[in-house]
Amino acid sequence: MKPEEGSSTPLTEEEEQRARAVLFSDLGNVIADRGWVRFPAYSPEERRRLVDVAQRLSAHWGQQVFIEAEDECAMRLHLAGHGSQPRLRH
């Protein structure tokens, strides 16, 4: 079955595990340094992957890593005290 044009091809289980391991390491390092990271997530699969990474980081560090959608294209992972600030309306 050929994927529709513009759609992503699902990763194999091994590719998925590798992708999550790289995100765990790379995003974890950034969060450890500054308390938060913004990362693109264009599809439901990418969002689920980031939720899993946040849960794994929480378990690894013993403290909650929060995750929230910033918009339809990006997710923000952060530690307590580094969440998004309320937006000012003009």
Side-chain angles (χ1 to χ4, degrees):
M1 185 166 139
K2 184 178 175 183
E4 293 181 33
E5 188 173 324
S7 68
S8 62
T9 303
L11 300 177
T12 66
E13 188 167 333
E14 181 181 335
E15 292 169 331
E16 184 66 37
Q17 289 175 359
R18 244 189 331 243
R20 289 176 190 232
V22 168
L23 288 171
F24 178 86
S25 175
D26 291 352
L27 298 182
N29 287 336
V30 174
I31 295 167
D33 287 344
R34 70 176 181 205
W36 66 276
V37 67
R38 181 179 196 266
F39 199 79
Y42 300 103
S43 70
E45 293 83 15
E46 291 171 327
R47 289 176 182 260
R48 280 192 292 272
R49 189 175 298 127
L50 291 174
V51 167
D52 177 67
V53 167
Q55 291 171 344
R56 288 179 54 207
L57 286 168
S58 294
H60 181 71
W61 288 336
Q63 65 176 315
Q64 181 70 43
V65 174
F66 300 93
I67 185 164
E68 59 190 42
E70 283 200 323
D71 55 37
E72 63 276 354
C73 299
M75 303 290 284
R76 180 183 175 96
L77 288 77
H78 62 90
L79 298 173
H82 295 276
S84 61
Q85 301 298 317
R87 293 188 180 139
L88 299 176
R89 296 182 186 217
H90 299 285

